[in-house]
Amino acid sequence: MAKTVVIDPVTRIEGHAKISIYLDDAGEVEDARFHVVEYRGFEKFCEGRPFTEMAGITARICGICPVSHLLAAAKTGDKLLAVKVPVAGEKLRRLMNLGQFTQSHALSFFHLSSPDFLLGWDSDPATRNVFGLIAADPDLARAGIRLRQFGQTIIEKLGARKIHAAWAVPGGVRSPLSEEGRTWIRERLPESFETLYTALNLFKQLLDRFTTETEEFGKFPSLFMGLVGKNGEWEHYGGHLRFRDSEGTIIADHLSEDDYHSFIGEAVEPWSYLKFPYYKPLGYPDGIYRVGPLARLNVCDHIGTEAADRELREMRDRAGGLPTSSFFYHYARLIEILAALEKIQQLMDDPDVVSERVRAQAGINELEGVGVSEAPRGTLFHHYKVDENGLIQKVNLIIATGQNNLAMNKTVTQIAKHYIHGNEIPEGLLNRVEAGIRCFDPCLSCSTHAAGQMPLHVELIGADGALLNEVYRR
Amino acid sequence: MSVKTLTINDQPIAIEEGKTILDAAKEAGIPIPTLCHLEGVSDVGACRLCLVEVKGINKLLPACVTQVAEGMEISTNTPKLQEYRRMAVELIFAEGNHVCSVCVANNNCELQDVAVEVGMDHSRFVYRFPDRGVDVSHSQFGIDHNRCILCTRCVRVCDEVEGAHVWDVAQRGAACYIVSGMNQPWGEVEACTSCGKCVDACPTGAIFRKGTTTAEKAGDREKLEFLVTAREQGQWTR
Ligand code: SF4
Ligand code: FES
């Protein structure tokens, strides 16, 4: 008799998400689905608005990565104006994105995920959060909070606000970094490096113990996609798109975001509002690809900064090639923070970051544009069509969490298969499933268990519709 | 010129005949919230924010268009007036599509300021979400009817100061909207001199400079001052 396990709701994200786990007649897991409902309507209500507002509007899609939307919108705007952003403007946008990577990854690692690693997956959920962490290891918790604050403050120093800063505009940015801001960033860098190294060393020690997690948390071959620079180096803002498979073979390279329709398809499933992007040449669902920290590290040949490159080599050594376990997203996040810190350090010595020539002005010169940037969670596309006056006619947004949709489903399935056998829902399952999802850091409310934990509802339903078992956690 | 004596909030005031209650209050340093009033151009009493109570008259009077009279006893801040003003602002918000967080005038908007001033924290009225358009056919400026509160400051400044009379009001009631020229796209109105006075006169983000992004419309106070004295001084450009 086939049965269904439903975890509902998973989260408090915009809209609603739940997990259904389908059992076969033998009570073994057959499949699992992570349903997401988000961003609904956003594309629709942008229609008719001046394209210059897109940065402001889309930055509101998400409270955690507004900078990413800001940059993607500004880059799409650049294309509509058909201007070249002044060098200083580009460097400043990069600086903001590096600040964003630092704060977002630090949040994911220290606040959201490390309680699992450090306190244990099966520890008491009441204290398995950032407060429990503060009690157990106050120094580490405090350092993590300060590292996040470092990234946040960079964004604030540039955009005058921590979130929703409509500072990146079509053609460049509004204002350069102040000397005061530069001094502040310089002074906080050494401490930030130190915190990062502490976390990285700790994580590497733990990794040796977490063999089950490494094996079960979404380890499967897939493609990876991300931006890489001219020489195959790690990118987060410019460059071109590359697909690479788990064996390390470059499947496609030098792809331009302008042609995304030719290599990314968007499948729709009746059971989820979130589209399922896939690599078109391989079809759906074989064209499954992952984006985000691990994908970026897997697609690049090297990072381009000394310390981060050393860590990248070590990660690949440990995995015996390109890591395919989604658990390595956490590892990749830490290496990316290191890369961001090194790049921020380089920018601090660059006179351009305080230059006044930061914005190019122009009218509408193109009626269609695609902008791409790397959000902490993965590649983000904005595609606008405008009329000759710059009013939006059509918008398509391809969001990181969407692109990881197939991979998240696979991860949940794998975890469920490992932990569920028969009608019983093992106690530790809920947290493992959450943790599996959390590897992808899909959304703050979704990944938050900072002040408590996600409300979870698991139902075990037989094929005849009878409720066989039920677990609640609020 | 004869002088009238009256009281505002029990404060005795003497002011020349022909002035409005708003003028009198201003002179006495008594604040009255306004939106459609713009120094330097005529008043129309469109927004009803400046309503005051006058003893012996059982309806509320708009201070900007009511002339002072001998012996008037005026109150500007009774609980009833506070309630009415708040309601007036709430109705303005419910009537159009005002999304401050993405508006060009965020943090620089008279409607926003007034909402704070009257203590509005939400609108008790159901939002209408009207279907309104944006006209960015002009080479430099745009008008977003979603954010228009029909104060007609643009109409008056263009007519009375610039003398171009590009703007007018079309339709009635809820269907009312601001039109350019003979209800043409703004970019096609030959009368428009592209002086930009309406941009500065507009209290919200409804009229803006093209290319302006969220919260980027900075109110040019100097330009507004210029509008105030332009007619008297016969200066038509700055
Ligand atoms: S466009 Fe501005 S100035 Fe003109 S009526 Fe509307 S709100 Fe008033
Ligand atoms: S200011 Fe008097 S009615 Fe608007």
Side-chain angles (χ1 to χ4, degrees), chain B residues 24-227:
Chain B
K26 241 181 214 154
E27 242 182 72
I30 298 166
I32 298 179
T34 61
L35 263 179
C36 68
H37 169 78
L38 179 68
E39 290 289 321
V41 295
S42 59
D43 279 303
V44 290
C47 73
R48 312 315 270 185
L49 225 73
C50 65
L51 290 179
V52 294
E53 282 187 71
V54 178
K55 196 167 169 196
I57 299 178
N58 65 2
K59 57 177 190 175
L60 304 176
L61 298 175
C64 67
V65 290
T66 308
Q67 289 188 6
V68 291
E70 186 58 38
M72 267 184 169
E73 288 174 42
I74 302 160
S75 307
T76 67
N77 206 18
T78 61
K80 181 174 169 188
L81 287 171
Q82 288 169 8
E83 173 58 22
Y84 271 59
R85 276 191 199 121
R86 213 185 111 180
M87 214 182 327
V89 180
E90 287 173 20
L91 283 165
I92 293 174
F93 270 93
E95 192 198 17
N97 296 311
H98 299 279
V99 186
C100 300
S101 57
V102 301
C103 178
V104 290
N106 194 10
N107 293 331
N108 233 319
C109 170
E110 290 182 38
L111 178 60
Q112 223 175 26
D113 295 347
V114 147
V116 173
E117 196 179 336
V118 302
M120 170 185 155
D121 48 16
H122 71 289
S123 177
R124 286 165 288 179
F125 303 99
V126 180
Y127 284 83
R128 285 178 61 236
F129 299 116
D131 191 3
R132 294 184 183 170
V134 182
D135 178 358
V136 281
S137 58
H138 191 282
S139 61
Q140 295 177 46
F141 315 121
I143 177 166
D144 182 348
H145 294 280
N146 293 289
R147 297 173 183 151
C148 176
I149 60 169
L150 296 168
C151 68
T152 70
R153 277 161 57 158
C154 53
V155 177
R156 288 171 281 145
V157 82
C158 185
D159 178 38
E160 299 172 20
V161 182
E162 181 62 11
H165 202 123
V166 168
W167 301 107
D168 238 312
V169 184
Q171 302 277 16
R172 302 177 71 82
C176 213
Y177 67 103
I178 295 290
V179 284
S180 38
M182 305 300 286
N183 202 2
Q184 300 154 280
W186 188 357
E188 289 170 21
V189 181
E190 280 177 22
C192 179
T193 62
S194 303
C195 71
K197 290 189 176 70
C198 54
V199 181
D200 294 289
C202 181
T204 68
I207 303 188
F208 54 90
R209 255 162 230 288
K210 273 167 73 170
T212 315
T213 61
T214 304
E216 219 183 3
K217 178 180 176 181
D220 184 345
R221 293 288 150 194
E222 257 177 54
K223 190 118 183 211
L224 272 181
E225 309 258 288
F226 159 76
L227 295 180

Side-chain angles (χ1 to χ4, degrees), chain A residues 132-149:
Chain A
L133 186 68
I134 291 170
D137 192 342
D139 289 342
L140 181 73
R142 200 174 306 119
I145 290 168
R146 278 178 65 83
L147 182 61
R148 169 160 196 246
Q149 186 206 38

Side-chain angles (χ1 to χ4, degrees), chain A residues 203-428:
Chain A
F203 186 80
K204 284 194 263 188
Q205 285 164 23
L206 292 169
L207 202 58
D208 301 330
R209 287 196 347 236
F210 290 152
T211 40
T212 319
E213 285 72 22
T214 318
E215 287 304 312
E216 303 302 333
F217 281 19
K219 185 172 181 182
F220 48 82
S222 78
L223 299 182
F224 296 96
M225 186 193 77
L227 288 172
V228 292
K230 256 210 302 286
N231 305 312
E233 70 275 20
W234 180 80
E235 251 299 345
H236 63 97
Y237 172 85
H240 60 264
L241 290 155
R242 173 186 277 182
F243 281 88
R244 191 174 240 176
D245 70 13
S246 312
E247 264 76 64
T249 313
I250 295 174
I251 300 293
D253 206 358
H254 304 288
L255 298 170
S256 160
E257 65 273 17
D258 294 341
D259 313 317
Y260 79 93
H261 267 310
S262 71
F263 53 87
I264 295 177
E266 291 183 90
V268 180
E269 291 282 2
W271 45 270
S272 180
Y273 281 105
L274 192 56
K275 291 184 224 163
F276 290 78
Y278 60 97
Y279 178 59
K280 242 184 190 167
L282 293 189
Y284 178 79
D286 292 341
I288 174 174
Y289 66 93
R290 282 178 270 187
V291 296
L294 184 63
R296 281 188 293 261
L297 292 192
N298 279 353
V299 294
C300 75
D301 301 331
H302 58 278
I303 290 180
T305 54
E306 209 186 309
D309 265 323
R310 207 166 40 237
E311 296 299 334
L312 177 65
R313 281 193 297 273
E314 184 179 336
M315 180 177 86
R316 288 182 179 172
D317 282 349
R318 279 170 180 266
L322 297 185
T324 58
S325 165
S326 300
F327 191 67
F328 272 66
Y329 267 87
H330 297 297
Y331 197 171
R333 235 167 246 130
L334 291 173
I335 298 177
E336 284 203 325
I337 299 180
L338 180 56
L341 294 177
E342 286 183 293
K343 296 211 175 232
I344 291 168
Q345 190 163 42
Q346 288 171 359
L347 282 170
M348 287 309 102
D349 296 327
D350 190 323
D352 279 339
V353 296
V354 290
S355 155
E356 290 289 336
R357 250 186 54 71
V358 295
R359 184 174 184 176
Q361 302 278 0
I364 298 290
N365 290 306
E366 289 287 345
L367 299 184
E368 188 169 353
V370 180
V372 67
S373 79
E374 286 289 342
R377 287 157 193 79
T379 320
L380 171 65
F381 295 87
H382 279 203
H383 179 191
Y384 314 153
K385 283 189 189 154
V386 296
D387 67 10
E388 66 279 14
N389 293 320
L391 292 185
I392 295 281
Q393 305 295 300
K394 205 152 175 35
V395 172
N396 191 28
L397 309 173
I398 303 186
I399 287 155
T401 302
Q403 295 171 90
N404 280 331
N405 207 359
L406 282 169
M408 287 193 288
N409 276 289
K410 234 175 162 157
T411 301
V412 170
T413 308
Q414 198 177 41
I415 294 171
K417 277 190 172 154
H418 188 81
Y419 291 96
I420 291 191
H421 303 282
N423 289 359
E424 289 309 308
I425 301 167
E427 212 283 309

